[in-house]
Amino acid sequence: MPRTRSSTTHARYWRWLGLTMAAIGLIVLSANWAERHELATRTAALRQAAAAHVLGLRGLVEKHDFLPYAAARHPDVLALLQAPQDSALRLRVNHYFADLQSTTGAAALFLVDRNGLTLSSSNWNQPSSFVGESYRQRPYFETALQGQRGLFYGLGLTTGQSGLFIAEPVRGPAGIMGVAVVKISLEPLQAAWRRGIDPVLLRDSRGVVFLSSQPEWLFQARQQLSAADAAWISSHRQYGSRSQFAVLPWQVKPLPDSAAYGLQTTVQGLHRSLLALDTALPELGWTLTVTSDMKEVTQARQLALALSTLLLALLLLASLYWRLREKRFVEQRSARLELERRVEERTRDLEEAHTFRKAMEDSLLVGMRARDPQGRIIYVNPAFCAMVGYSAEELLGCLPPYPYWHPDDLEKQARVSQDVLQGRVVPHGYESRIRHKDGHDVITMIYTAALVDARGVHRGWMSSVVDITAQKQAEARQRDQELQLERSARLASVGEMASTLAHELNQPLMALSNFALAARALADRGASSLLAETLNDIIAQSQRASEIVKRVRVFINPQRAQYENLAPADVIHHAVNLLKPELQRHHVQLQLQLEDGLPPVRGDSVLLEQVLMNLIHNALHAMQAQPPGSRRIQLLCRQQEQGVSVTVADSGPGIPAEQIEQIFAPFFTSKPDGLGLGLNICRTIIEAHGGRISVENSPTGGAAFTFTLALAS
């Protein structure tokens, strides 16, 4: 009898052990299944995100793909390659490139001859002009010379700014004569990535990251570069002067039966576990990597473990219930009540989660609108309803034109809506004016993305709508305030103008007095010929005083100036002659260096003389502490490509470095009795003439003020 009881106990032990192992196996299998299912879902989402990014990249490239082709076939471009010394032809090509760049939004367009020298560029009139630069070592130049289209991403040799270069050979009667190049900036795309949560990056064919939402990953490689690859990048200066590329701080873990892979890394100082997917762009030679947080996959596994455990616990309780219902009715009832309590808690948790999600949607300040592929509105959140003034019941099911479309923009909004429904989504959003139900206008920014379900089926389009009306109104108020400040600054300069006019009028008035005394003496002596000459001088000086008085209004509104074709040398000589007594009184040596054959400029002679006299007066003041023998002013005038430049340089102590940035600001002065408006007035006059004025300290001592004037047309 004891042996029989022992055998029963043994059998019961092994049976329970087997059931326990089976239960553990089921729990593990369910957790693995949930993890694989969530991983597949997240991978599908990554594929959709990658497809959207690839679509945006290809759209950006295709938008500018025709530019070098069109530029290479322009007759002026071919003519410039045949006659590179023709300055008029070069100017026409420069303007043609500038118009193309402004119209298409490209970063730059330029033309390179067969030797790699840039002949023309859209930024020819900027300090960072490409004209005269050599791009012979660039791969796109070498490829284009071989008759093929060149494609290359790297840092600019001149500007240091990154961009995608597309090169097209320019063919002529003698074959390939040069290369037309367009530069596309991807900085706006990178800026949009950086506003996202999950990292996105682009790698070139050698594995170097050149575009990333995480700045610390830029110019790092997926793996250690070979010596040949590093030498190629360095010789072609693809990434500037960089010759060493660190390996990305990634720990990669392959995932079975998945195109994605696990990624352990640090993002902005925080450790993150990511799911990553690579997408190749063979036509560009790039690889796009998109990522998503692995937290959802881990949570899915944990939830499956919890649910499987709960389910098996329920089965176990049911088994115990049937085995012990006669003996342990109270215990069975308690177990049932416990089960009901758990179910109730679970239901309450689900209801709370639903309530939380709805409250979160209701609290959003950004309007959300979903449309099916036909444009029918299928979802709106409360923020969107408040933005347009219509209830969800009034909007759901509506097809274009929607009731909130602005009546003045119906054609434009219909065109934009049709582009979105056909998949031509603007990657950086677009501005739209809508009409609220109560009649007032609302300015919005709309961002649209494809609405794709977990199975990868396109269900429509989801749009985020941001109300920027207040921002637009603030910008308008700021512009109004700036205009008021400019007008106040002009009115404040009238005080300085009064003192300047007093100084300027002093000489013609003194001359009038002297000539009048001389005329009276000549009249007494009866010298009629000398008397007539003296009277002519009186008339000339009175006319000059009248011209000076008439121009006081010009300082309030420089556009009222009387412009005419002027000889620069005449204006300079007249201003110097007016100041010659003062220069002699201060023992200052004035050195004039005027180029021969200077072309005429367009301007107001009295205003330009005022600028010269103000700059020379400032130079006199700056040299007061210098010994008389070392007081020198150099006045240089020479022709430039686009006009004439005039430089006034002194031998004084120069301008302190902390003051040189604000030297032209209103009311800034280093003189104890100055108002700080003289140089500001000079800049106003020069800018009204279409020129610019600047200052720099000379390496040999002293300061040099330079202004430019446009040539007469």
Side-chain angles (χ1 to χ4, degrees):
M1 188 68 180
R3 290 182 59 188
T4 303
R5 186 176 300 168
S6 176
S7 299
T8 303
T9 303
H10 252 322
R12 186 179 300 160
Y13 169 81
W14 287 111
R15 185 167 62 251
W16 279 107
L17 181 61
L19 289 173
T20 302
M21 296 300 294
I24 293 174
L26 286 174
I27 292 173
V28 173
L29 287 175
S30 64
N32 290 340
W33 178 87
E35 185 180 40
R36 288 195 300 272
H37 180 269
E38 184 63 24
L39 185 62
T41 301
R42 301 305 299 175
T43 302
L46 283 179
R47 285 196 180 96
Q48 295 301 320
H53 287 304
V54 169
L55 183 63
L57 280 168
R58 286 175 175 157
L60 184 62
V61 174
E62 291 171 1
K63 174 184 175 183
H64 302 86
D65 194 47
F66 75 97
L67 288 179
Y69 180 86
R73 281 147 183 82
H74 195 282
D76 285 347
V77 172
L78 185 61
L80 181 59
L81 288 172
Q82 294 172 337
Q85 303 303 322
D86 190 335
S87 58
L89 183 59
R90 182 193 301 267
L91 186 59
R92 288 205 305 272
V93 175
N94 284 338
H95 283 293
Y96 169 62
F97 282 170
D99 289 342
L100 275 182
Q101 184 268 334
S102 176
T103 302
T104 62
L109 288 96
F110 53 99
L111 178 66
V112 184
D113 64 16
R114 284 190 59 86
N115 297 320
L117 185 67
T118 304
L119 300 179
S120 180
S121 171
S122 61
N123 64 349
W124 90 97
N125 58 348
Q126 299 178 9
S128 57
S129 170
F130 297 166
V131 175
E133 297 292 335
S134 175
Y135 296 101
R136 185 180 183 86
Q137 72 271 39
R138 286 302 205 183
Y140 60 77
F141 172 76
E142 300 170 356
T143 303
L145 280 187
Q146 297 173 3
Q148 301 176 2
R149 165 159 291 198
L151 200 66
F152 175 75
Y153 185 90
L155 299 182
L157 296 179
T158 304
T159 64
Q161 297 176 352
S162 60
L164 175 63
F165 297 85
I166 305 176
E168 182 77 21
V170 182
R171 305 179 188 274
I176 296 176
M177 303 181 65
V179 178
V181 187
V182 61
K183 179 180 179 182
I184 307 170
S185 175
L186 300 184
E187 289 298 326
L189 181 63
Q190 181 173 250
W193 288 357
R194 290 180 178 174
R195 291 193 292 269
I197 299 175
D198 297 319
V200 183
L201 57 94
L202 270 174
R203 291 180 279 121
D204 62 18
S205 58
R206 292 170 175 79
V208 177
V209 177
F210 63 87
L211 211 65
S212 172
S213 61
Q214 304 303 316
E216 61 269 27
W217 290 353
L218 283 174
F219 308 119
Q220 296 187 2
R222 179 69 183 271
Q223 59 188 6
Q224 188 67 41
L225 293 184
S226 66
D229 286 344
W232 188 92
I233 293 174
S234 178
S235 64
H236 291 85
R237 297 188 64 189
Q238 183 174 10
Y239 300 118
S241 59
R242 292 180 178 85
S243 59
Q244 300 293 329
F245 300 90
V247 178
L248 285 167
W250 290 2
Q251 295 181 6
V252 177
K253 177 184 177 182
L255 299 176
D257 303 325
S258 176
Y261 54 91
L263 185 62
Q264 301 291 329
T265 186
T266 299
V267 178
Q268 297 179 354
L270 300 176
H271 179 76
R272 292 189 64 181
S273 179
L274 302 173
L275 180 67
L277 180 69
D278 291 342
T279 302
L281 285 78
E283 71 276 16
L284 299 173
W286 299 345
T287 300
L288 172 70
T289 301
V290 295
T291 65
S292 176
D293 205 308
M294 285 283 284
K295 179 170 60 178
E296 288 83 0
V297 178
T298 305
Q299 289 176 347
R301 179 180 179 87
Q302 293 173 349
L303 182 60
L305 286 171
L307 291 176
S308 300
T309 303
L310 179 60
L311 178 61
L312 288 175
L314 293 175
L315 291 175
L316 179 60
L317 288 174
S319 175
L320 291 175
Y321 169 77
W322 288 108
R323 289 174 58 89
L324 304 175
R325 63 177 180 173
E326 292 86 2
K327 295 182 180 180
R328 300 182 180 178
F329 178 77
V330 177
E331 295 177 0
Q332 178 269 339
R333 181 178 177 83
S334 300
R336 186 177 69 250
L337 292 175
E338 176 67 17
L339 176 61
E340 291 175 353
R341 185 185 64 80
R342 292 186 180 182
V343 172
E344 181 181 354
E345 289 180 353
R346 183 60 180 167
T347 302
R348 187 167 57 251
D349 290 343
L350 291 175
E351 291 176 349
E352 290 178 355
H354 175 73
T355 303
F356 178 80
R357 182 179 65 83
K358 187 175 184 304
M360 182 178 63
E361 292 178 356
D362 293 345
S363 66
L364 283 176
L365 298 179
V366 176
M368 303 297 295
R369 178 197 66 189
R371 298 185 293 172
D372 65 13
Q374 288 74 41
R376 182 179 289 102
I377 297 178
I378 58 177
Y379 168 79
V380 288
N381 71 339
F384 184 82
C385 293
M387 198 177 299
V388 300
Y390 294 91
S391 65
E393 291 75 13
E394 293 175 295
L395 294 175
L396 293 178
C398 286
L399 287 167
Y402 303 123
Y404 52 83
W405 277 6
H406 199 284
D408 297 338
D409 298 340
L410 289 178
E411 183 178 350
K412 173 186 175 183
Q413 291 180 328
R415 184 173 62 254
V416 173
S417 177
Q418 188 64 26
D419 288 343
V420 171
L421 294 177
Q422 292 180 0
R424 297 189 290 270
V425 179
V426 180
H428 308 304
Y430 61 92
E431 185 176 308
S432 176
R433 180 176 60 162
I434 63 177
R435 176 65 61 85
H436 193 275
K437 187 176 182 180
D438 65 9
H440 74 271
D441 292 350
V442 180
I443 309 300
T444 63
M445 274 301 288
I446 300 179
Y447 306 88
T448 302
L451 190 61
V452 181
D453 63 16
R455 292 175 295 178
V457 179
H458 180 250
R459 298 297 186 186
W461 304 94
M462 176 64 78
S463 297
S464 301
V465 185
V466 182
D467 186 349
I468 61 171
T469 306
Q471 175 186 340
K472 288 291 183 180
Q473 293 172 347
E475 291 174 355
R477 287 194 298 271
Q478 183 178 357
R479 286 193 296 269
D480 292 341
Q481 291 172 358
E482 289 175 352
L483 290 175
Q484 289 296 332
L485 287 175
E486 286 183 12
R487 179 170 178 82
S488 298
R490 289 195 188 101
L491 293 175
S493 66
V494 172
E496 181 70 10
M497 179 58 182
S499 62
T500 303
L501 286 175
H503 179 276
E504 182 101 3
L505 287 171
N506 184 52
Q507 292 188 6
L509 291 176
M510 288 293 294
L512 282 171
S513 177
N514 292 333
F515 288 145
L517 292 174
R520 186 171 63 184
L522 292 172
D524 292 340
R525 295 201 306 266
S528 59
S529 60
L530 294 176
L531 177 60
E533 183 180 348
T534 303
L535 291 175
N536 289 334
D537 290 336
I538 291 175
I539 293 172
Q541 291 299 324
S542 64
Q543 289 176 344
R544 173 169 176 78
S546 176
E547 286 297 319
I548 293 172
V549 172
K550 287 179 182 178
R551 281 162 171 80
V552 69
R553 297 179 64 194
V554 173
F555 283 90
I556 299 176
N557 188 355
Q559 282 70 23
R560 298 178 182 173
Q562 300 178 3
Y563 295 129
E564 56 185 346
N565 292 346
L566 304 172
D570 293 344
V571 176
I572 292 172
H573 283 302
H574 191 264
V576 170
N577 288 334
L578 291 176
L579 290 175
K580 186 173 293 184
E582 191 167 355
L583 293 171
Q584 294 173 351
R585 187 170 63 254
H586 288 84
H587 306 287
V588 176
Q589 179 184 1
L590 180 65
Q591 300 174 352
L592 287 178
Q593 297 182 19
L594 308 180
E595 277 189 1
D596 295 333
L598 287 171
V601 298
R602 188 73 175 167
D604 187 306
S605 60
V606 174
L607 293 180
L608 295 179
E609 289 171 9
Q610 180 63 34
V611 171
L612 283 168
M613 293 173 66
N614 202 334
L615 294 179
I616 295 173
H617 269 298
N618 286 349
L620 286 174
H621 181 270
M623 295 187 298
Q624 286 182 353
Q626 303 294 109
S630 61
R631 298 175 185 174
R632 293 184 305 278
I633 296 178
Q634 284 187 320
L635 204 160
L636 297 85
C637 185
R638 53 186 178 271
Q639 184 178 359
Q640 294 183 334
E641 182 178 355
Q642 299 297 326
V644 171
S645 70
V646 180
T647 299
V648 178
D650 60 62
S651 59
I655 302 173
E658 65 274 7
Q659 296 180 3
I660 201 164
E661 292 295 332
Q662 50 184 333
I663 196 71
F664 293 104
F667 308 113
F668 176 81
T669 180
S670 59
K671 303 176 184 178
D673 56 349
L675 291 178
L677 295 173
L679 288 176
N680 181 255
I681 292 173
C682 290
R683 183 173 66 177
T684 302
I685 293 173
I686 294 302
E687 290 178 352
H689 282 71
R692 57 188 179 89
I693 186 169
S694 60
V695 62
E696 62 180 358
N697 286 323
S698 174
T700 59
F705 286 82
T706 301
F707 63 87
T708 60
L709 297 172
L711 297 179
S713 57

